Amino acid sequence: MSPTTGSTLITNIGQLVTVDPTEPDRPTRAHAALVIDDGFVAWHGHAADAPAADARIDADGAAVIPGFVDSHSHLVFGGDRVDEFEARMAGRAYTAGGIRTTVAATREATDEALRTRLVHLVAQARAQGTTTLEIKSGYGLTVADEQRALRLAREVTAETTFLGAHVVPADFADDRDAYVDLVCGSMLEACSPHARWVDVFIDSGAFTVDEARRILLAGRDAGLGLRVHAGQLAADGGVALAVELDAASVDHCTFLTDDDVALLAGSGTVATLLPLVEFATRQPFPDARRLIDAGVAVAIATDCNPGSNFSSSMPLAIALAVRELGMTPLEALRAATIGGARALRRDDVGHLGVGARGDAVILDAPDYRYLAYRPGVPLVRTVVAGGIVTSRTVRGE
């Protein structure tokens, strides 16, 4: 979505949380106002000092925060896996193999069916305060279906990721090398014009470190940035590869060695934690406290997908991060905003400093800490994305 023209004053803000990287020691402002001009933040400060603007929004004493940056999602797919979820809740362990169920349903779905669901899911995420959203392919696993997924995703976001290396599809089960050749060859060639990133799922049920290295290097040679799934089910060597190749983000990080933590702390790679996945799979939660205390840059994202977590709620992810990952409410909010922006190597979103995109969320609460304090309550009152005001109310699917 392009930023709007004209200026908007959001005033009578009871608590403004800019997450402004130029003001790290000033997390909140009271009795504040914010001006968005031509879609970008032009000013913030005390409400009494606010300049004139073309339009005015009265926050009525509520807290205002940056729009959430969800840097990990899989929203182009067919079918569902609710039966798998029910079985998992009854005690069956989560494995990567269920992805193939979604692959079959996605291949059968029409473009229009995939687009309709995608638009609906994006609207749900927006209603919960998400203003920047990364979307991966990975449920087609043929040249045509992966290209189709990215083409559709590009209709709703610029942050698209080629994940042809999600799992080895059943039709290549007896020839893994041939599938890796396909991903690095004609599939990458077809998909790279529609993608900003390339990603690989490193796991015993997916790809090895050596296979991932080959795929990531091919993606980098094609001009794509690097992302990695690693450490979801075991400490698998993926973190070391991500750091070695200067990936923007390594996602999951549930199981990490001390060496993994040290490598991340000395790198420019963000550790993106996905607590909704652990909530939905009953896996152990990652230890954010361990990472933050070591100096690792941390982000929080949803990983919304039909298998391991079918929720796009960044507020719920924040609440879980505080309850289960050892984060403070401010650390969790930063991870869900500027942390996600850093995982996408963006400096124009995830905060409300002057010059950033005018992506602001007015909460139905006086304090940002209510996001963790009142989990499950719809606390997003109004979303302003690039200066455009949107409603929070979206019917469930």
Side-chain angles (χ1 to χ4, degrees):
M1 181 180 293
S2 300
T4 190
T5 57
S7 59
T8 299
L9 168 66
I10 305 176
T11 191
N12 196 17
I13 300 171
Q15 181 194 63
L16 176 63
V17 189
T18 66
V19 198
D20 188 339
T22 67
E23 297 182 329
D25 297 326
R26 188 172 188 179
T28 65
R29 294 174 181 267
H31 311 295
L34 176 78
V35 174
I36 299 170
D37 193 4
D38 288 340
F40 297 90
V41 177
W43 178 91
H44 56 70
H46 197 280
D49 301 324
D54 300 323
R56 182 177 183 274
I57 299 173
D58 188 343
D60 195 25
V64 173
I65 62 174
F68 299 125
V69 179
D70 187 351
S71 61
H72 186 132
S73 78
H74 308 248
L75 301 186
V76 183
F77 62 89
D80 64 38
R81 281 152 64 189
V82 66
D83 291 341
E84 177 187 316
F85 172 80
E86 182 180 32
R88 192 162 62 244
M89 294 302 102
R92 192 177 80 191
Y94 174 75
T95 68
I99 292 169
R100 294 186 181 90
T101 303
T102 302
V103 169
T106 303
R107 289 177 177 179
E108 293 176 359
T110 65
D111 282 19
E112 192 53 37
L114 293 175
R115 179 183 287 111
T116 297
R117 168 173 271 174
L118 171 64
V119 169
H120 184 77
L121 292 174
V122 170
Q124 287 182 329
R126 176 62 58 84
Q128 296 173 92
T130 297
T131 52
T132 301
L133 184 64
E134 182 262 12
I135 300 176
K136 304 178 191 295
S137 66
Y139 292 126
L141 307 188
T142 67
V143 173
D145 286 306
E146 286 296 291
Q147 182 190 53
R148 173 173 70 152
L150 289 164
R151 175 172 48 80
L152 293 172
R154 182 54 67 89
E155 293 177 4
V156 297
T157 183
E159 298 294 345
T160 53
T161 299
F162 168 48
L163 185 59
H166 204 179
V167 294
V168 176
D171 35 327
F172 282 86
D174 296 327
D175 196 349
R176 296 177 60 89
D177 289 344
Y179 185 69
V180 174
D181 289 343
L182 179 68
V183 171
C184 295
S186 57
M187 188 181 288
L188 174 62
E189 183 179 1
C191 291
S192 59
H194 307 283
R196 184 180 177 213
W197 305 96
V198 61
D199 198 346
V200 180
F201 184 11
I202 299 173
D203 181 71
S204 60
F207 293 86
T208 68
V209 170
D210 288 342
E211 290 167 339
R213 177 181 281 104
R214 184 181 167 203
I215 293 163
L216 292 169
L217 289 175
R220 187 171 72 182
D221 288 346
L224 303 181
L226 309 186
R227 320 187 71 74
V228 177
H229 284 59
Q232 179 179 4
L233 302 176
D236 46 33
V239 169
L241 178 64
V243 172
E244 173 194 333
L245 299 182
D246 190 31
S249 179
V250 57
D251 298 24
H252 287 290
C253 294
T254 307
F255 295 94
L256 299 175
T257 67
D258 290 344
D259 286 345
D260 289 336
V261 175
L263 285 170
L264 285 167
S267 77
T269 300
V270 174
T272 299
L273 309 182
L274 309 168
L276 289 165
V277 171
E278 282 74 36
F279 178 77
T281 62
R282 290 182 170 167
Q283 292 287 105
F285 285 92
D287 187 350
R289 184 82 270 134
R290 176 189 184 196
L291 291 165
I292 292 169
D293 289 349
V296 176
V298 172
I300 293 171
T302 66
D303 193 8
C304 183
N305 73 85
S308 60
N309 164 56
F310 198 14
S311 171
S312 58
S313 176
M314 288 292 279
L316 181 56
I318 287 173
L320 287 172
V322 173
R323 174 65 178 81
E324 302 289 351
L325 274 59
M327 302 179 81
T328 69
L330 183 58
E331 287 170 341
L333 177 60
R334 283 176 167 160
T337 53
I338 198 166
R342 288 170 175 159
L344 296 173
R345 294 199 166 155
R346 299 273 298 270
D347 59 12
D348 61 325
V349 296
H351 66 97
L352 294 172
V354 172
R357 279 179 54 96
D359 296 345
V361 172
I362 303 175
L363 297 179
D364 189 19
D367 192 299
Y368 74 90
R369 292 173 293 182
Y370 275 49
L371 291 165
Y373 181 44
R374 303 197 70 204
V377 176
L379 292 181
V380 174
R381 180 192 301 169
T382 304
V383 179
V384 181
I388 300 172
V389 177
T390 65
S391 169
R392 70 172 174 83
T393 303
V394 176
R395 290 184 179 180
E397 190 176 34

